[in-house]
Amino acid sequence: MSEFEELKNNIDNYVEGLDLAKRTKNDYRLILNDYFKFVINQKYAPTRQTILDYKASLDKRNFKAASIQKYMVCIRGFYTYLNATDKGKNLALGI
């Protein structure tokens, strides 16, 4: 399994395991799939800088500050999950 396939599977597992309303889970899935597409376009494994670049791309796409914050909360939660389940480093620590 490629690193990108593993990331996609981890996104699915993370969202399914959340104890949140169905609509919130759908929002999280959309956010993380958007982030996943950004990572794929970078053509290298994600790093802390990838997350910062993604955040900047949201601003360039004219997202409001509150929306960018929601996206970052979701991404931080995902990387916290990866770290807690020994599936990866918490690349979003401190972002």
Side-chain angles (χ1 to χ4, degrees):
M1 179 182 305
S2 78
E3 191 166 352
F4 295 119
E5 289 171 324
E6 189 174 339
L7 182 64
K8 180 68 173 137
N9 286 338
N10 284 327
I11 287 171
D12 292 337
N13 291 336
Y14 170 65
V15 172
E16 287 307 313
L18 292 172
D19 185 23
L20 298 171
K22 187 175 183 176
R23 180 176 176 168
T24 304
K25 282 185 174 185
N26 287 338
D27 288 348
Y28 272 44
R29 189 178 313 281
L30 290 172
I31 290 167
L32 290 169
N33 283 335
D34 186 65
Y35 172 69
F36 179 72
K37 289 175 192 172
F38 182 85
V39 169
I40 294 264
N41 287 332
Q42 300 301 309
K43 298 182 178 148
Y44 56 84
T47 63
R48 185 175 192 279
Q49 187 61 49
T50 306
I51 299 168
L52 294 172
D53 292 346
Y54 178 69
K55 183 178 180 182
S57 80
L58 295 174
D59 188 48
K60 288 178 186 171
R61 290 163 50 191
N62 296 317
F63 278 59
K64 301 232 184 260
S67 295
I68 293 172
Q69 180 63 22
K70 179 180 178 178
Y71 275 58
M72 290 299 103
V73 165
C74 181
I75 290 168
R76 280 194 301 269
F78 173 66
Y79 279 108
T80 298
Y81 159 81
L82 290 182
N83 190 42
T85 57
D86 293 326
K87 295 179 181 177
K89 294 180 183 178
N90 187 349
L91 301 177
L93 192 64
I95 295 177

